[in-house]
Amino acid sequence: VITLSQALDFVGSAAQGDILYRGASTWTRLGAGTSGRVLQTKGTGANPEWAPAREVLTAARTYFVGFSLGSVTANATTDKIEKTAHGLENGDPVAFNAVTAPNGITLGTVYYVRNKAANDFEIYTAATGGTQVTWTTSGSTVTCHTGNDNNSGIGTNGRSVALLTIQKAIDLAAAIDSSIYDVTIKLCDGIHVNTGEIVAKTMGGSGKVTIEGNTTTPANVIVRLLSGATNNHLFFSGISTTYEMAGFTPQNNQSTSIVAISVVSAYVRIRNMRFSMGTSAYLYQILANLAGVIDVVDDCTFTANGHFSTIGAVNNGTIRFFKGAADPITITIEGSPPFYLTDFFMFASVSSGIAHNSTTTYSGQFAADAAPRKQAQTNGTIQGGARSNGAAFVVTEATGGSIVTGK
């Protein structure tokens, strides 16, 4: 006769700290983990594992995405990027922005440093292998930034600190417990490219996550989608953490139209943003869906869209424009966008609302066509703010919904 303890010792070893769990078909031993790790369930149909304990913040934190080298020279004779004491190493990723691109360099594309010297380097299409990038004109006002998702993102910003992608910064923030402290994801000036959706995640604790570029000149920070997104560019769905977007320009360069900022059953604040089409339009530039809430709390610019609605609230979604009576919000319409039979600047449907306080004003102008600027249907409600762009904004259409101007 053996004891239960002796029987269990037959399942693998009998080392102190081992844990017994039910695998897919048999009982299995999970060996003692590294000191300080915690047992983490992977959910139904998966085995538990040891995982790092969540870091708990004791102060606010900033993750840097991109480190700007400032202005560089793209020398068309030597096919080298020239920058005195650039500090980069072979294999470092780099991306470029410019008023006029050097002929041969695609702005925003990630290239890799090779054959670096103290004051210049060549760029290749891959960190190892690949082909050298050459160009025939030097371009003008060329700037360069670097970053690496193997970096920590925290500390004094530099090439050995900055991350390359926004998604990596979000993933790092989601792995911590913020306690009561806020996290900022700081984007350097330049073009930040991504493939696939940028997906927000819940962070432990009650802190807020702010993704912030250049709040003075949002056009200097472009978040450009290249490909791979089915429905959304920046996606906030079913998360409990408050996110705030500030000081950058989402831009769609994939071949299909999607939503720029999509908020589904979540809460997002927006300030000092600029929305731009890129090579393709957005279905919506901001969309609150399925009880999602978007608060626009400071000035924003919406450029010509040309496809469906710019601002949308559907399925109990809510968008509110409010900063304060003494400091009103100005919404700038850029590019005199046209709107057609099914294209609206604002669209509210299925018990959803878009509300403005009385100090919200509009600057700029729409194209001189007679299509509706706002549409409310199926119990949707739009309450309009003050107008500084004349009667062209008040062309409205309500089908089973309500539109109230001047509220």
Side-chain angles (χ1 to χ4, degrees), residues 39 59 83 100 126 154-155 223 276 295 338 352 374 384 395:
L39 186 64
K83 176 68 175 181
T100 303
I154 58 177
V223 177
S276 172
D295 277 347
S352 298
K374 311 175 188 175
V395 183

Side-chain angles (χ1 to χ4, degrees), residues 65-292:
V65 178
F67 172 67
S68 178
L69 277 68
S71 296
V72 299
T73 300
N75 191 315
T77 301
T78 63
D79 290 320
K80 292 180 183 290
I81 302 296
E82 298 174 348
K83 176 68 175 181
T84 301
H86 55 75
L88 298 176
E89 298 293 337
N90 289 331
D92 280 352
V94 290
F96 299 91
N97 195 11
V99 172
T100 303
N103 185 16
I105 293 178
T106 301
L107 300 183
T109 293
V110 176
Y111 299 109
Y112 296 87
V113 173
R114 299 274 285 277
N115 300 320
K116 62 99 177 177
N119 300 316
D120 60 43
F121 55 89
E122 297 173 351
I123 55 175
Y124 279 69
T125 57
T128 59
T131 57
Q132 184 182 358
V133 179
T134 60
W135 51 95
T136 56
T137 60
S138 294
S140 64
T141 318
V142 182
T143 59
C144 174
H145 72 270
T146 186
N148 193 318
D149 281 348
N150 291 322
N151 291 337
S152 68
I154 58 177
T156 302
N157 196 18
R159 62 159 293 276
S160 61
V161 167
L163 301 167
L164 182 63
T165 66
I166 298 169
Q167 187 64 63
K168 181 62 176 181
I170 290 173
D171 293 346
L172 290 173
I176 63 176
D177 183 337
S178 70
S179 182
I180 60 172
Y181 300 100
D182 292 341
V183 168
T184 299
I185 297 172
K186 183 64 178 176
L187 314 180
C188 75
D189 283 9
I191 301 174
H192 300 263
V193 298
N194 65 285
T195 56
E197 295 178 346
I198 297 173
V199 180
K201 298 179 179 180
T202 295
M203 177 177 65
S206 60
K208 176 183 68 177
V209 176
T210 298
I211 302 177
E212 181 181 84
N214 185 327
T215 55
T216 301
T217 312
N220 287 356
V221 183
I222 295 172
V223 177
R224 177 178 292 170
L225 172 67
L226 296 182
S227 63
T230 303
N231 299 306
N232 310 290
H233 188 174
L234 292 99
F235 190 35
F236 305 83
S237 177
I239 55 174
S240 58
T241 299
T242 295
Y243 275 74
E244 184 164 301
M245 306 291 102
F248 63 90
T249 302
Q251 193 176 86
N252 181 20
N253 272 33
Q254 72 171 19
S255 58
T256 55
S257 297
I258 54 169
V259 178
I261 294 180
S262 177
V263 180
V264 178
S265 304
Y267 175 59
V268 171
R269 292 162 54 91
I270 293 175
R271 58 182 170 86
N272 306 112
M273 293 285 288
R274 180 177 179 271
F275 294 86
S276 172
M277 284 175 51
T279 57
S280 294
Y282 282 117
L283 292 174
Y284 294 91
Q285 293 181 333
I286 58 174
L287 174 66
N289 189 9
L290 293 173

Side-chain angles (χ1 to χ4, degrees), residues 13-72:
S13 72
Q16 184 177 1
D18 288 358
I19 290 178
L20 185 65
Y21 69 90
R22 177 67 180 181
S25 58
T26 61
W27 288 94
T28 305
R29 178 187 66 89
L30 178 64
T34 303
S35 177
R37 293 205 160 206
V38 297
L39 186 64
Q40 182 179 70
T41 177
K42 305 298 286 185
T44 303
N47 298 330
E49 65 181 18
W50 297 111
R54 265 194 174 186
E55 178 188 4
V56 180
L57 294 188
T58 58
R61 170 168 291 179
T62 297
Y63 290 101
F64 292 99
V65 178
F67 172 67
S68 178
L69 277 68
S71 296
V72 299

